[in-house]
Amino acid sequence: MRQIFQYDRVDRLIDILFGVGAAHGLVGYGPLSHRVGMRPDHLSRQLRRVCEQSVEAGGPMWSALCVSADTGMPLKNFYPLAQRLRPE
């Protein structure tokens, strides 16, 4: 029987962001979206899922490492998510 490789973008994003964090770095939305084969304006839903999974498991909000090239900060939709997932 032929096996089919299942590509999960959320898992790939987690892997990439973990590597960015391990290197004490940041990554732009453009380069990150390119690495997972998406448009930058379609990343927000996937990054939300990354954060939800990580926080549920007791981990950090990995998407905080994904920043705008213009400001060096996460985009505005990160902050309401952070308030919801990490109210402290």
Side-chain angles (χ1 to χ4, degrees), residues 26-27 29 63-64 66-76 78-79:
L26 299 172
V27 64
Y29 288 94
S63 69
C66 187
V67 297
S68 165
D70 296 332
T71 65
M73 303 286 291
L75 294 180
K76 65 181 179 184
F78 168 80
Y79 299 99

Side-chain angles (χ1 to χ4, degrees), residues 1-68:
M1 182 172 182
R2 188 173 146 195
Q3 291 184 346
I4 298 174
F5 176 71
Q6 194 79 26
Y7 179 74
D8 184 7
R9 285 192 171 115
V10 171
D11 289 338
R12 180 70 179 132
L13 284 166
I14 290 170
D15 288 345
I16 293 167
L17 291 170
F18 180 84
V20 169
H24 303 283
L26 299 172
V27 64
Y29 288 94
L32 182 61
S33 65
H34 180 73
R35 297 273 315 268
V36 295
M38 295 182 72
R39 290 181 12 196
D41 57 336
H42 289 165
L43 267 182
S44 61
R45 177 203 248 176
Q46 304 301 324
L47 289 172
R48 177 181 47 80
R49 290 179 55 209
V50 165
C51 285
E52 290 169 345
Q53 285 182 18
S54 181
V55 169
E56 186 177 302
M61 291 187 63
W62 290 113
S63 69
L65 301 175
C66 187
V67 297
S68 165

